[in-house]
Structures are given as structure tokens and as C-alpha cells.
Amino acid sequence: MLDIKFIRENKEVVQAGAKKKLMDFNVDDLLATDDKRRELLQKIEMKKAEQGRFGQKVATTPTDGEKKMIIEAMQLVKAEVQKEEEQLKSVMADWQRLMLQVPNVPDMTVPEGLSDADNVEVRTWGEKKTFDFEAKSHIEIMEALDMANFEKGTEVSGFRGYFLKGAGAELSFAIWQYAKDFWLRKPGFEMMIVPSLVRRETLLGTGYLPQGEDDLYKTQDGEYLAGTAEVATMAYWSDKELKKSDLPQKILAFSPCFRREAGSHGKDVKGLIRVHEFFKLEQVVLCEASHSESVKHHEEINTNTEEFIQSLGIPYHVVANCGGDLGLGQVKKYDIELWVPGESKYREISSASYFHDFQSRRLNIRYRDDDAKLRFVHSLNCTAIPTPRILVSLIENYQQADGTIIIPEVLRPYMGGKEVIK
């Protein structure tokens, strides 16, 4: 959520930001509603002050007749106040609805574009794997090695269901354990296991609602299943006042995740690319309210994931997301995409975003600066690693002609010293 004062003073900037993000939002509608809100608040305040003056007159008026006249006038003003307060409730509901729809202003460096097809490559790492044999997909390899059962997964869980078994399950646990050790060696990181089941307020606070409702699973009790550990991790600090010395907060958060993948029924229907139920380790950072601090931490957390992928030896590239591929609250975002030999294309594995105070203003997360002034923190997040999607690139890049899979060296200690899956 942006500050209404900022929106008023930077109307053209906010409208241009919405246009760049391809979001249908009219700043004039919000400002017209805000004018009504301010006008009603002023009227109510003036009439309440008038009620106060009437009350003082009643206390000092000696005759009953005069008191009666004053009380009757007070009742008329009271009725007007009640009527305007009812009007204000309706206006406030419209104002809050519109405020939740205001997109954050993207950074100047965000490329123009309509979709992820227009994202701009920033850098590449590693050589794309080529094979002197006919390469197989992760589905063929995993089924042949009894690492997964997709048919039974669909039978038990429905569309996009899967079972990981044997070395497939072991490999997932190895990645989690290695990622934990990798990130906890980084300065300042603390680990959390966070809830997936969250209230609506937490999704509104992080900016996933109201726009992302179709992609979320909802329980019969009105809670939601989150698609990322970022949601609960940010809500952990809601309504808290931190000290400047507490910043930055750096969390490696783990949780099961759920996404309906609404609108993607015909995409990636086989294998582990796009599933409804998965697991993620997520980096979440809270820092001082400074653009330069946000940019610094944004580069840092994205680099953390790049270094993790490099240690696994998987080729990748980094793209800067264009305006049309940014979410409501994101100021800037990078995606890391891994090379998938079976498809001869890059596939997203991680996203790193910063939000300025968009999320913290909604969640009321503040700190006192050196002048004792209360400020909203800046927030950032970046995927550390998602499973089982990482298995797609890992297995396809490390396949051998005999159908076996070489285990990356850094994972071998977590696989009992095993070097090959066969």
C-alpha cells in the first residue's frame, strides 16, 4: 500500500507505474473518493466541536427554557453527525478497496514489456549441457529409476499429483539439508518453519490479495493455503515496532506451499515443472527505509541463490522482469532460470523482489530511526530453492547414457556418500 499523501503529490508517477505494469487502475477515481473522505471527516469534526460548545452552554445556562432550546439544537447537530458518519462508512469502504488496488511504482530500470517473454537477460552462467546420446526427460529418467510415480500421484491427488520415492525422496531431503547449511553460513540468517495455513489479512498485507484470489486454495473455515513462506514470515512482524539496531532481519523460511495454477490447465501438465503442492525455502529480509539499502539487499539475496545453483553445477541465466511481469507490490524483480536439456530452454527456479514499504505499511511493521521518527521498514524476498522443481534441471543435466544420474558433489554427504543414482 502506498501513502495517500505520496499518491496525491505524485499522481502522474503512480498512474505511469500502473500503466507500465499493465494494471487497470485510475488514480483519479481514488483521489475523488479521498476528497469525499476528507470532506466528510472535516464536516464531522466541525460538528462534534459544535456539540462540545453546546454542552458547555448547557452547563452554564441558568434557565430551563434556554437549556431546552440548546439541547434541541444539540440533538439536530447529533442527527447530522450520525447521518454523515454513515456516509463516511460507505466512502471509507470504497476508499480502502481502491487503496488496496494501487500498484507500487516500478523502478526506472525495469524494462518495458507485456509478459515474461519480454524479460531481459542480465547474465548467464555455465555451459548448456550437450550429450552424445539421446537425452531423456526427467519424467522418463525418474520413472525408470523408480524415483517417482506420476500415474499413482494423479490417481490419489488429482491433476498434477505426484509421488516421490526412493532416491527421488532422498534427493529432495538432501537439497533441503544442504540449503539449510549453505544459508546458515551466510551472515545474519536465521531459520524459521512457518505456517502454510494463513488468514486473509496476511495475504492482503503481503499484496497477494485481492488480485491473486483465483490462484489460492481456500478452506471451509475461510483460511487460505499460501503459495510461499514469505506470507507467514512477513506477518510474523505485523504490528511490531523494531529498533534500528534490529535491522536487517534475514530469515530463511521453510514451508509446504500450494497453488491452484489457475489459467494454466494446458501448460506443463506432465512431470514436476508445475505442481499444486510443493516445498520452498525462502529468503525474507527487512531493512531500513532506504532505496539504496533495498537495492543492496536485492542484489545480495539473488546472488545467494545464484551461488547455490553454481555449487550444484547447473547452467542458468538471470533475467530482469519487465513491467508486465511484475506483481502489484514489486518495485523490481529478477528471475533465475535453469537450463532444462530435455526442452532446450530455461525454466524459472527463483524470483527475487523488493517492495520498499508497500508490504510493511499494510502490515504495520515499523522501526525508529536515529531521530526517533517512526518509519515503515522495507521488505524483500527471494526463493532460496523450491522442490521438487529443482529436480527437473538437476536430473536432466546430470543424466548419463546408461540411464543413471550423477549426484552433484555437494549433495553426496547428504546422500550417504553415494555418487550415482542407478
Side-chain angles (χ1 to χ4, degrees), residues 56-298:
Q56 290 173 351
K57 283 183 183 179
V58 168
T60 57
T61 298
T63 64
D64 290 343
E66 287 179 295
K67 282 184 179 180
K68 185 179 178 183
M69 289 175 63
I70 294 169
I71 289 168
E72 286 174 353
M74 277 178 66
Q75 288 172 337
L76 287 173
V77 173
K78 183 180 178 181
E80 288 175 4
V81 169
Q82 288 174 337
K83 182 180 177 182
E84 285 169 352
E85 284 179 335
E86 283 301 311
Q87 290 175 349
L88 182 61
K89 281 182 187 177
S90 174
V91 171
M92 280 300 296
D94 288 340
W95 184 81
Q96 288 167 345
R97 175 181 55 81
L98 289 168
M99 283 292 286
L100 288 173
Q101 294 175 17
V102 183
N104 207 352
V105 179
D107 190 79
M108 291 173 60
T109 60
V110 170
E112 299 285 346
L114 305 180
S115 71
D116 58 2
D118 300 312
N119 293 342
V120 176
E121 186 176 83
V122 176
R123 58 185 165 271
T124 64
W125 183 91
E127 292 186 17
K128 297 174 183 177
K129 291 288 180 74
T130 57
F131 303 96
D132 56 5
F133 57 91
E134 188 176 345
K136 296 177 181 176
S137 72
H138 72 284
I139 302 170
E140 295 173 278
I141 299 166
M142 294 183 80
E143 288 181 334
L145 295 175
D146 202 23
M147 297 172 68
N149 191 319
F150 298 103
E151 185 178 341
K152 199 68 180 177
T154 301
E155 181 185 319
V156 171
S157 182
F159 186 49
R160 302 189 193 276
Y162 63 95
F163 279 90
L164 293 183
K165 51 187 298 197
E170 290 178 53
L171 203 51
S172 287
F173 271 90
I175 289 165
W176 298 341
Q177 290 172 301
Y178 172 53
K180 172 185 73 73
D181 291 346
F182 180 92
W183 260 274
L184 295 186
R185 288 196 295 266
K186 298 285 182 183
F189 272 93
E190 178 186 8
M191 191 161 190
M192 278 188 185
I193 297 175
V194 303
S196 300
L197 189 66
V198 296
R199 293 179 173 174
R200 183 177 178 83
E201 291 77 14
T202 63
L203 289 156
L204 284 166
T206 46
Y208 286 92
L209 286 178
Q211 282 80 3
E213 184 109 29
D214 289 345
D215 219 21
L216 294 165
Y217 286 104
K218 189 175 180 180
T219 74
Q220 62 267 44
D221 297 319
E223 293 97 355
Y224 293 80
L225 294 172
T228 170
E230 164 207 349
V231 176
T233 308
M234 283 299 300
Y236 177 82
W237 280 284
S238 60
D239 297 318
K240 284 191 179 180
E241 182 183 316
L242 302 169
K243 298 175 185 175
K244 186 178 178 182
S245 58
D246 294 333
L247 301 174
Q249 291 282 342
K250 298 181 180 181
I251 299 298
L252 179 66
F254 177 83
S255 77
C257 301
F258 302 86
R259 285 184 190 162
R260 291 184 59 224
E261 296 288 357
S264 63
H265 188 85
K267 295 180 182 177
D268 313 314
V269 294
K270 294 180 180 179
L272 299 175
I273 290 286
R274 198 183 298 271
V275 293
H276 293 310
E277 183 176 2
F278 52 101
F279 300 87
K280 268 210 301 181
L281 284 149
E282 185 86 11
Q283 302 173 79
V284 178
V285 175
L286 301 182
C287 70
E288 296 172 38
S290 156
H291 176 70
S292 61
E293 282 292 297
S294 277
V295 170
K296 180 185 80 173
H297 287 294
H298 187 225

Side-chain angles (χ1 to χ4, degrees), residues 20-53:
K20 188 167 187 174
K21 287 187 171 184
L22 309 182
M23 292 185 177
D24 184 16
F25 182 79
N26 190 326
V27 179
D28 287 332
D29 291 344
L30 170 61
L31 295 182
T33 303
D34 190 53
D35 287 338
K36 291 179 190 173
R37 179 186 71 92
R38 285 151 58 109
E39 182 183 349
L40 282 167
L41 282 169
Q42 188 177 24
K43 284 182 178 178
I44 290 167
E45 190 178 329
M46 289 173 63
K47 286 188 171 69
K48 284 187 173 178
E50 191 177 354
Q51 279 182 295
R53 290 193 293 273

